[in-house]
Amino acid sequence: MKLRNALSISLCAVLLSAASSQTPGRRPELPVGHLTAGRDMSAARGAHTATILPDFRVLIAGGTGKRGVALASTEIYDPTKETFTAAAPMIVPRQEHIAAVLSDGKVLIAGGDNPRSGPLAAAEDYDYETGKFTQRGSMHARRARAAVAVLRDGSPLVTGGTDGAPLDSAETYDVLTGKWTLVGKMSSPRVGHTATLLPDGRVLIVGGGGKDRTVLASAEIFDPKTKQFTPAGEMHQARFHHAAVLLTNGKVLIVGGTCFGEKCSSPDGTLASAELYDPATHTFTQTGNLNEARTKLPDCASLLDGRALIVGGAASAEIFDPRTGAFRTVTGSMDAAHHSSAAIQLMDGSVRIFGGYDSSANGVAKTWIYRP
């Protein structure tokens, strides 16, 4: 059960740093690693999910295929064989949904969008032992582009999203009862934001698109003990469609995203800026910039040495080193910039990047492998 709980933690939860055992003082820069092409998926996808199963395979679910069609199809990636195998289809075709590993090893899929019917509230779970999907009721709100974090008790917390307009509500799913429960509302409606589980069990909610086409710089903290949200400072740059990663020092790195309006620091709205959130002081501090501006990037992947891998939104990949506060470009690249990909870190420390949208907004079947 401990292993299954560990797998339910967000991809952006950093593992223990191997670098911490090195001799104090000036240390040489670590290798940046390299990015290479992998085998194609069975289907072209963008805005899909990739989730590690208890048997270490990866469930790839839904997304948008070619010509904007929402997919019900799923497939299983086996990293030991580098193969993709078609799996049972979801009950509901969906894109821009959330996925989380539950304490019983099943994968919860909820919300998302279907261009034919609009945002979805329906939920289902995948049982890797039977290979089947089962309906799991509906959330209290239809939610596309929501954010999810799995709490320490194994309950997924789903925040915000859109049902046609950004939402300020949040809810949790009880694995034992199969029921959804509303919790306290956020201070602002949010869509395209991030939710990061902190070391103390609270959840940091950052940025997002707000009501009346605004972009938010604000952050807030969800406390599972009180089930309430409280303000947690403001970023230096408002942003949405960004990424977040928890670092070994307890700070949270916020990277990239999109902004618009008078306070947007980017001429075209795509951001290269990054900042660090300190949960002890509820303050954001600017850090080094990305080498390439990025938006609609997947969750950051944490490396075994404590650094963070940033992929998506550009053809290149970058490594953030918390020791220097700088980004370095990885050797090798994708064939082109891809948006709304899915990425997952495997037990050997490598990272797989699956699909995404191409420049024509079509999903692609291509994949890439990052090795440190």
Side-chain angles (χ1 to χ4, degrees):
M1 184 64 73
K2 291 182 178 179
L3 175 59
R4 290 180 175 179
N5 286 340
L7 290 173
S8 69
I9 298 175
S10 166
L11 170 66
C12 285
V14 175
L15 303 177
L16 293 176
S17 172
S20 63
S21 62
Q22 298 180 11
T23 303
R26 184 179 180 84
R27 291 172 288 186
E29 288 188 327
L30 298 171
V32 293
H34 57 278
L35 190 67
T36 58
R39 293 184 178 180
D40 286 0
M41 295 184 289
S42 302
R45 304 175 189 275
H48 51 295
T49 54
T51 313
I52 295 183
L53 299 171
D55 61 6
F56 305 114
R57 296 179 302 160
V58 179
L59 173 69
I60 300 168
T64 305
K66 296 180 179 180
R67 296 180 295 278
V69 177
L71 302 173
S73 67
T74 72
E75 50 193 295
I76 299 291
Y77 171 67
D78 187 335
T80 64
K81 301 176 182 178
E82 290 289 341
T83 57
F84 293 88
T85 305
M90 292 186 292
I91 299 168
V92 179
R94 61 183 88 214
Q95 62 190 29
E96 297 181 330
H97 51 281
I98 63 97
V101 178
L102 303 174
S103 57
D104 60 5
K106 297 177 181 178
V107 178
L108 179 71
I109 307 286
D113 183 68
N114 186 318
R116 294 183 178 180
S117 59
L120 302 166
E124 52 192 292
D125 67 31
Y126 175 78
D127 188 332
Y128 79 104
E129 294 181 330
T130 65
K132 296 181 180 180
F133 283 90
T134 303
Q135 289 182 324
R136 286 293 177 250
S138 294
M139 295 183 289
H140 292 267
R142 299 179 300 159
R143 303 177 189 274
R145 287 181 286 155
V148 62
V150 178
L151 304 176
R152 283 185 173 176
D153 66 0
S155 302
L157 169 71
V158 182
T159 57
T162 178
D163 64 356
L167 300 166
D168 61 3
S169 62
E171 45 193 304
T172 56
Y173 177 77
D174 190 311
V175 179
L176 297 179
T177 65
K179 294 183 178 180
W180 292 90
T181 302
L182 287 169
V183 294
K185 290 187 176 183
M186 295 184 291
S187 61
S188 300
R190 300 177 188 269
V191 60
H193 54 295
T194 53
T196 307
L197 184 69
L198 299 174
D200 62 7
R202 298 180 302 161
V203 177
L204 174 68
I205 310 296
V206 174
K211 61 183 179 180
D212 300 325
R213 289 184 53 79
T214 57
V215 182
L216 303 173
S218 63
E220 44 196 305
I221 294 282
F222 175 78
D223 189 333
K225 295 179 181 178
T226 63
K227 302 189 186 310
Q228 298 296 318
F229 293 86
T230 56
E234 291 209 354
M235 293 183 289
H236 293 265
Q237 172 64 66
R239 64 186 80 217
F240 70 111
H241 291 319
H242 53 281
V245 56
L246 177 68
L247 302 175
T248 53
N249 59 12
K251 296 181 180 181
V252 179
L253 172 69
I254 311 295
V255 294
T258 299
C259 64
F260 50 79
E262 295 181 359
K263 296 183 179 180
C264 183
S265 63
S266 169
D268 67 357
T270 304
L271 295 167
S273 65
E275 37 197 307
L276 295 165
Y277 175 77
D278 188 340
T281 60
H282 298 313
T283 56
F284 288 89
T285 303
Q286 292 174 310
T287 188
N289 286 344
L290 290 159
N291 294 300
E292 291 196 69
R294 301 170 186 269
T295 189
K296 294 186 178 179
L297 54 164
D299 288 340
C300 308
S302 59
L303 305 182
L304 298 179
D305 56 27
R307 296 178 299 166
L309 173 69
I310 315 299
V311 296
S316 66
E318 304 185 39
I319 293 291
F320 176 78
D321 191 335
R323 303 177 307 167
T324 63
F327 292 87
R328 297 168 64 201
T329 302
V330 168
T331 302
S333 67
M334 302 179 187
D335 62 316
H338 293 281
H339 298 87
S340 300
S341 304
I344 202 82
Q345 185 184 40
L346 302 176
M347 296 303 291
D348 65 358
S350 65
V351 178
R352 300 299 192 270
I353 302 98
F354 305 101
Y357 294 124
D358 63 14
S359 58
S360 300
N362 288 317
V364 302
K366 296 177 181 179
T367 75
W368 298 268
I369 303 170
Y370 169 81
R371 290 188 175 91

